[in-house]
Amino acid sequence: GHALGELTAVDVMTANPYSVRPETTLGTLVHVLRVSDLVRVPVVDAKDRLIGIIARRDILRTYLGYRSPRKK
């Protein structure tokens, strides 16, 4: 093994990580997060440039914020 001080980011990073596009639906995004066992997933543009990161908590906050009110 290597001492931690000798390792670099490339030694521990995930090559070719899952990513999604801005137009990816939340249903698809949830599926990607579940099958990849990730907590966050990069959002990339058409040229595969990073434009953001979406986390499971972002989805939960969106879901909780967009719930329709209960009908009486």
PDB file of all heavy atoms in Angstrom, residues 6-26:
ATOM      1  N   GLU A   6       1.518  10.103  -0.047  1.00  0.00           N
ATOM      2  CA  GLU A   6       2.057   9.837  -1.384  1.00  0.00           C
ATOM      3  C   GLU A   6       0.971   9.748  -2.449  1.00  0.00           C
ATOM      4  O   GLU A   6       1.261   9.784  -3.643  1.00  0.00           O
ATOM      5  CB  GLU A   6       2.845   8.527  -1.376  1.00  0.00           C
ATOM      6  CG  GLU A   6       4.060   8.543  -0.469  1.00  0.00           C
ATOM      7  CD  GLU A   6       4.724   7.180  -0.365  1.00  0.00           C
ATOM      8  OE1 GLU A   6       4.311   6.254  -1.093  1.00  0.00           O
ATOM      9  OE2 GLU A   6       5.640   7.046   0.455  1.00  0.00           O
ATOM     10  N   LEU A   7      -0.274   9.590  -2.031  1.00  0.00           N
ATOM     11  CA  LEU A   7      -1.373   9.441  -2.985  1.00  0.00           C
ATOM     12  C   LEU A   7      -1.791  10.794  -3.540  1.00  0.00           C
ATOM     13  O   LEU A   7      -1.713  11.814  -2.868  1.00  0.00           O
ATOM     14  CB  LEU A   7      -2.571   8.776  -2.316  1.00  0.00           C
ATOM     15  CG  LEU A   7      -2.371   7.337  -1.869  1.00  0.00           C
ATOM     16  CD1 LEU A   7      -3.592   6.868  -1.078  1.00  0.00           C
ATOM     17  CD2 LEU A   7      -2.122   6.421  -3.045  1.00  0.00           C
ATOM     18  N   THR A   8      -2.267  10.775  -4.781  1.00  0.00           N
ATOM     19  CA  THR A   8      -2.802  11.975  -5.413  1.00  0.00           C
ATOM     20  C   THR A   8      -4.272  11.742  -5.750  1.00  0.00           C
ATOM     21  O   THR A   8      -4.771  10.617  -5.650  1.00  0.00           O
ATOM     22  CB  THR A   8      -2.029  12.325  -6.699  1.00  0.00           C
ATOM     23  OG1 THR A   8      -2.201  11.240  -7.632  1.00  0.00           O
ATOM     24  CG2 THR A   8      -0.546  12.535  -6.419  1.00  0.00           C
ATOM     25  N   ALA A   9      -4.946  12.775  -6.175  1.00  0.00           N
ATOM     26  CA  ALA A   9      -6.371  12.667  -6.521  1.00  0.00           C
ATOM     27  C   ALA A   9      -6.607  11.591  -7.577  1.00  0.00           C
ATOM     28  O   ALA A   9      -7.571  10.830  -7.495  1.00  0.00           O
ATOM     29  CB  ALA A   9      -6.898  14.013  -6.997  1.00  0.00           C
ATOM     30  N   VAL A  10      -5.742  11.503  -8.561  1.00  0.00           N
ATOM     31  CA  VAL A  10      -5.928  10.521  -9.635  1.00  0.00           C
ATOM     32  C   VAL A  10      -5.839   9.083  -9.107  1.00  0.00           C
ATOM     33  O   VAL A  10      -6.427   8.172  -9.669  1.00  0.00           O
ATOM     34  CB  VAL A  10      -4.941  10.764 -10.806  1.00  0.00           C
ATOM     35  CG1 VAL A  10      -3.528  10.332 -10.451  1.00  0.00           C
ATOM     36  CG2 VAL A  10      -5.409  10.075 -12.075  1.00  0.00           C
ATOM     37  N   ASP A  11      -5.146   8.899  -8.001  1.00  0.00           N
ATOM     38  CA  ASP A  11      -5.025   7.569  -7.416  1.00  0.00           C
ATOM     39  C   ASP A  11      -6.323   7.094  -6.771  1.00  0.00           C
ATOM     40  O   ASP A  11      -6.536   5.891  -6.636  1.00  0.00           O
ATOM     41  CB  ASP A  11      -3.916   7.544  -6.355  1.00  0.00           C
ATOM     42  CG  ASP A  11      -2.534   7.774  -6.946  1.00  0.00           C
ATOM     43  OD1 ASP A  11      -2.264   7.280  -8.060  1.00  0.00           O
ATOM     44  OD2 ASP A  11      -1.732   8.462  -6.280  1.00  0.00           O
ATOM     45  N   VAL A  12      -7.178   8.011  -6.361  1.00  0.00           N
ATOM     46  CA  VAL A  12      -8.386   7.624  -5.636  1.00  0.00           C
ATOM     47  C   VAL A  12      -9.691   8.042  -6.308  1.00  0.00           C
ATOM     48  O   VAL A  12     -10.768   7.657  -5.859  1.00  0.00           O
ATOM     49  CB  VAL A  12      -8.358   8.181  -4.184  1.00  0.00           C
ATOM     50  CG1 VAL A  12      -7.224   7.562  -3.402  1.00  0.00           C
ATOM     51  CG2 VAL A  12      -8.265   9.685  -4.177  1.00  0.00           C
ATOM     52  N   MET A  13      -9.621   8.802  -7.378  1.00  0.00           N
ATOM     53  CA  MET A  13     -10.840   9.295  -8.032  1.00  0.00           C
ATOM     54  C   MET A  13     -11.564   8.189  -8.783  1.00  0.00           C
ATOM     55  O   MET A  13     -11.000   7.135  -9.082  1.00  0.00           O
ATOM     56  CB  MET A  13     -10.502  10.419  -9.006  1.00  0.00           C
ATOM     57  CG  MET A  13      -9.809   9.943 -10.251  1.00  0.00           C
ATOM     58  SD  MET A  13      -9.493  11.325 -11.365  1.00  0.00           S
ATOM     59  CE  MET A  13      -9.111  10.433 -12.863  1.00  0.00           C
ATOM     60  N   THR A  14     -12.809   8.438  -9.067  1.00  0.00           N
ATOM     61  CA  THR A  14     -13.603   7.557  -9.916  1.00  0.00           C
ATOM     62  C   THR A  14     -13.467   8.043 -11.349  1.00  0.00           C
ATOM     63  O   THR A  14     -13.841   9.173 -11.659  1.00  0.00           O
ATOM     64  CB  THR A  14     -15.084   7.589  -9.498  1.00  0.00           C
ATOM     65  OG1 THR A  14     -15.187   7.165  -8.144  1.00  0.00           O
ATOM     66  CG2 THR A  14     -15.936   6.716 -10.395  1.00  0.00           C
ATOM     67  N   ALA A  15     -12.898   7.200 -12.213  1.00  0.00           N
ATOM     68  CA  ALA A  15     -12.770   7.563 -13.626  1.00  0.00           C
ATOM     69  C   ALA A  15     -14.119   7.344 -14.312  1.00  0.00           C
ATOM     70  O   ALA A  15     -14.865   6.434 -13.960  1.00  0.00           O
ATOM     71  CB  ALA A  15     -11.690   6.716 -14.291  1.00  0.00           C
ATOM     72  N   ASN A  16     -14.444   8.184 -15.258  1.00  0.00           N
ATOM     73  CA  ASN A  16     -15.703   8.093 -16.004  1.00  0.00           C
ATOM     74  C   ASN A  16     -16.910   7.996 -15.082  1.00  0.00           C
ATOM     75  O   ASN A  16     -17.669   7.038 -15.138  1.00  0.00           O
ATOM     76  CB  ASN A  16     -15.676   6.894 -16.965  1.00  0.00           C
ATOM     77  CG  ASN A  16     -14.580   7.005 -17.981  1.00  0.00           C
ATOM     78  OD1 ASN A  16     -14.373   8.058 -18.565  1.00  0.00           O
ATOM     79  ND2 ASN A  16     -13.844   5.921 -18.185  1.00  0.00           N
ATOM     80  N   PRO A  17     -17.114   8.990 -14.231  1.00  0.00           N
ATOM     81  CA  PRO A  17     -18.237   8.923 -13.286  1.00  0.00           C
ATOM     82  C   PRO A  17     -19.576   9.094 -13.992  1.00  0.00           C
ATOM     83  O   PRO A  17     -19.642   9.597 -15.109  1.00  0.00           O
ATOM     84  CB  PRO A  17     -17.980  10.109 -12.363  1.00  0.00           C
ATOM     85  CG  PRO A  17     -17.252  11.083 -13.228  1.00  0.00           C
ATOM     86  CD  PRO A  17     -16.391  10.245 -14.132  1.00  0.00           C
ATOM     87  N   TYR A  18     -20.623   8.648 -13.311  1.00  0.00           N
ATOM     88  CA  TYR A  18     -21.964   8.923 -13.805  1.00  0.00           C
ATOM     89  C   TYR A  18     -22.129  10.431 -13.881  1.00  0.00           C
ATOM     90  O   TYR A  18     -21.597  11.165 -13.046  1.00  0.00           O
ATOM     91  CB  TYR A  18     -23.018   8.395 -12.832  1.00  0.00           C
ATOM     92  CG  TYR A  18     -23.241   6.915 -12.863  1.00  0.00           C
ATOM     93  CD1 TYR A  18     -22.526   6.072 -12.039  1.00  0.00           C
ATOM     94  CD2 TYR A  18     -24.198   6.373 -13.711  1.00  0.00           C
ATOM     95  CE1 TYR A  18     -22.742   4.699 -12.051  1.00  0.00           C
ATOM     96  CE2 TYR A  18     -24.430   5.004 -13.734  1.00  0.00           C
ATOM     97  CZ  TYR A  18     -23.698   4.174 -12.902  1.00  0.00           C
ATOM     98  OH  TYR A  18     -23.917   2.835 -12.915  1.00  0.00           O
ATOM     99  N   SER A  19     -22.881  10.891 -14.864  1.00  0.00           N
ATOM    100  CA  SER A  19     -23.231  12.305 -14.941  1.00  0.00           C
ATOM    101  C   SER A  19     -24.598  12.400 -15.611  1.00  0.00           C
ATOM    102  O   SER A  19     -25.066  11.449 -16.225  1.00  0.00           O
ATOM    103  CB  SER A  19     -22.190  13.103 -15.735  1.00  0.00           C
ATOM    104  OG  SER A  19     -22.119  12.655 -17.065  1.00  0.00           O
ATOM    105  N   VAL A  20     -25.227  13.556 -15.445  1.00  0.00           N
ATOM    106  CA  VAL A  20     -26.523  13.802 -16.074  1.00  0.00           C
ATOM    107  C   VAL A  20     -26.478  15.135 -16.799  1.00  0.00           C
ATOM    108  O   VAL A  20     -25.597  15.953 -16.568  1.00  0.00           O
ATOM    109  CB  VAL A  20     -27.671  13.794 -15.033  1.00  0.00           C
ATOM    110  CG1 VAL A  20     -27.836  12.423 -14.406  1.00  0.00           C
ATOM    111  CG2 VAL A  20     -27.477  14.862 -13.979  1.00  0.00           C
ATOM    112  N   ARG A  21     -27.421  15.339 -17.688  1.00  0.00           N
ATOM    113  CA  ARG A  21     -27.564  16.591 -18.432  1.00  0.00           C
ATOM    114  C   ARG A  21     -28.598  17.467 -17.721  1.00  0.00           C
ATOM    115  O   ARG A  21     -29.427  16.966 -16.954  1.00  0.00           O
ATOM    116  CB  ARG A  21     -28.041  16.312 -19.856  1.00  0.00           C
ATOM    117  CG  ARG A  21     -27.133  15.396 -20.640  1.00  0.00           C
ATOM    118  CD  ARG A  21     -26.067  16.172 -21.316  1.00  0.00           C
ATOM    119  NE  ARG A  21     -25.310  15.279 -22.194  1.00  0.00           N
ATOM    120  CZ  ARG A  21     -24.024  15.378 -22.363  1.00  0.00           C
ATOM    121  NH1 ARG A  21     -23.348  16.320 -21.754  1.00  0.00           N
ATOM    122  NH2 ARG A  21     -23.387  14.559 -23.156  1.00  0.00           N
ATOM    123  N   PRO A  22     -28.614  18.764 -17.999  1.00  0.00           N
ATOM    124  CA  PRO A  22     -29.582  19.663 -17.351  1.00  0.00           C
ATOM    125  C   PRO A  22     -31.041  19.273 -17.588  1.00  0.00           C
ATOM    126  O   PRO A  22     -31.895  19.517 -16.739  1.00  0.00           O
ATOM    127  CB  PRO A  22     -29.288  21.022 -17.979  1.00  0.00           C
ATOM    128  CG  PRO A  22     -27.924  20.921 -18.534  1.00  0.00           C
ATOM    129  CD  PRO A  22     -27.708  19.471 -18.880  1.00  0.00           C
ATOM    130  N   GLU A  23     -31.331  18.640 -18.705  1.00  0.00           N
ATOM    131  CA  GLU A  23     -32.715  18.278 -19.032  1.00  0.00           C
ATOM    132  C   GLU A  23     -33.140  16.925 -18.452  1.00  0.00           C
ATOM    133  O   GLU A  23     -34.273  16.470 -18.669  1.00  0.00           O
ATOM    134  CB  GLU A  23     -32.926  18.293 -20.551  1.00  0.00           C
ATOM    135  CG  GLU A  23     -32.091  17.291 -21.315  1.00  0.00           C
ATOM    136  CD  GLU A  23     -30.694  17.774 -21.688  1.00  0.00           C
ATOM    137  OE1 GLU A  23     -30.260  18.861 -21.258  1.00  0.00           O
ATOM    138  OE2 GLU A  23     -30.018  17.036 -22.431  1.00  0.00           O
ATOM    139  N   THR A  24     -32.280  16.269 -17.705  1.00  0.00           N
ATOM    140  CA  THR A  24     -32.595  14.977 -17.104  1.00  0.00           C
ATOM    141  C   THR A  24     -33.765  15.141 -16.127  1.00  0.00           C
ATOM    142  O   THR A  24     -33.760  16.046 -15.293  1.00  0.00           O
ATOM    143  CB  THR A  24     -31.376  14.419 -16.347  1.00  0.00           C
ATOM    144  OG1 THR A  24     -30.290  14.277 -17.263  1.00  0.00           O
ATOM    145  CG2 THR A  24     -31.671  13.070 -15.718  1.00  0.00           C
ATOM    146  N   THR A  25     -34.756  14.281 -16.242  1.00  0.00           N
ATOM    147  CA  THR A  25     -35.911  14.355 -15.344  1.00  0.00           C
ATOM    148  C   THR A  25     -35.516  13.887 -13.947  1.00  0.00           C
ATOM    149  O   THR A  25     -34.547  13.138 -13.776  1.00  0.00           O
ATOM    150  CB  THR A  25     -37.067  13.476 -15.838  1.00  0.00           C
ATOM    151  OG1 THR A  25     -36.653  12.105 -15.796  1.00  0.00           O
ATOM    152  CG2 THR A  25     -37.503  13.854 -17.253  1.00  0.00           C
ATOM    153  N   LEU A  26     -36.275  14.331 -12.960  1.00  0.00           N
ATOM    154  CA  LEU A  26     -35.982  13.910 -11.590  1.00  0.00           C
ATOM    155  C   LEU A  26     -36.151  12.405 -11.426  1.00  0.00           C
ATOM    156  O   LEU A  26     -35.409  11.779 -10.676  1.00  0.00           O
ATOM    157  CB  LEU A  26     -36.867  14.659 -10.599  1.00  0.00           C
ATOM    158  CG  LEU A  26     -36.463  16.091 -10.315  1.00  0.00           C
ATOM    159  CD1 LEU A  26     -37.365  16.698  -9.246  1.00  0.00           C
ATOM    160  CD2 LEU A  26     -35.018  16.215  -9.908  1.00  0.00           C
TER     161      LEU A  26
END
